[in-house]
């Protein structure tokens, strides 16, 4: 699998974002939270977005840096996601109040992806 994050994978649709926050499920691995929802229709790829609350980080420079780190970590670790029949819209939200370095975010992202996989496997089995 290519380690890229093309435009087609970015979550931009207001409709999908609305559905995600209204009907989505979530998993947490401090300092990250993942909200996800199965996409209905003919989507060929997962749609992913990142968010850092302004309440926790007042400076846009800091928020943008953390968002870049989140996108980079997702790009490097999206190959951990198994190929599945359902495609998902996902939003990674940084909930911590301290700025962490790349390695700490990488560990949290890996844990979060594994929790997502476990939860989806158990939900699919039901």
């Amino acid at each position: 699998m290519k380690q890229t994050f093309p435009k087609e994978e970015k979550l931009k649709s207001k409709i999908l974002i609305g559905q995600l926050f209204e009907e989505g499920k979530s998993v947490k691995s401090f300092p990250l939270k993942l909200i996800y929802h199965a996409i209905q229709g003919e989507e060929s790829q997962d749609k992913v977005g990142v968010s850092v609350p302004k309440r926790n980080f007042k400076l846009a420079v800091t928020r943008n840096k953390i968002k870049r780190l989140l996108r980079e970590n997702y790009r490097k670790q999206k190959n951990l996601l198994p190929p599945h029949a359902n495609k998902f819209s996902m939003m990674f939200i940084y909930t911590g109040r301290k700025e962490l370095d790349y390695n700490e975010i990488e560990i949290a992202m890996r844990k979060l992806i594994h929790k997502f996989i476990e939860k989806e496997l158990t939900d699919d089995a039901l």
Side-chain angles (χ1 to χ4, degrees):
M1 176 183 272
K2 284 184 163 182
Q3 286 190 339
T4 60
F5 191 47
K7 187 176 183 179
E8 296 82 35
E9 284 186 38
K10 294 182 178 160
L11 180 62
K12 296 180 179 182
S13 167
K14 288 184 180 183
I15 295 169
L16 286 178
I17 293 171
Q19 286 177 347
L20 178 68
F21 283 102
E22 287 175 12
E23 304 166 12
K25 301 174 188 173
S26 67
V27 290
K28 296 178 186 175
S29 175
F30 186 80
L32 300 176
K33 179 179 181 180
L34 171 64
I35 301 174
Y36 63 95
H37 181 21
I39 299 175
Q40 307 299 325
E42 307 239 347
E43 292 295 332
S44 60
Q45 294 179 324
D46 291 333
K47 301 284 186 178
V48 178
V50 297
S51 177
V52 179
K54 191 174 187 178
R55 174 181 35 163
N56 295 347
F57 297 96
K58 302 293 184 210
L59 297 178
V61 173
T62 309
R63 289 193 307 274
N64 291 336
K65 179 182 177 185
I66 294 170
K67 286 191 276 188
R68 281 195 310 272
L69 291 173
L70 289 173
R71 281 191 292 266
E72 177 69 6
N73 272 295
Y74 171 74
R75 182 184 74 81
K76 293 276 189 170
Q77 297 182 36
K78 70 180 180 180
N79 60 353
L80 297 175
L81 294 171
H84 37 70
N86 291 339
K87 296 300 175 187
F88 291 94
S89 58
M90 297 184 264
M91 179 71 74
F92 290 95
I93 302 172
Y94 189 88
T95 58
R97 294 190 178 268
K98 292 184 181 176
E99 184 180 348
L100 299 178
D101 67 349
Y102 180 87
N103 293 328
E104 293 168 319
I105 292 175
E106 181 179 23
I107 292 167
M109 179 77 73
R110 187 171 292 126
K111 286 180 187 175
L112 191 64
I113 289 174
H114 286 298
K115 283 184 179 181
F116 166 70
I117 293 167
E118 288 174 15
K119 190 168 183 181
E120 271 312 296
L121 288 177
T122 56
D123 287 350
D124 286 346
L126 297 176

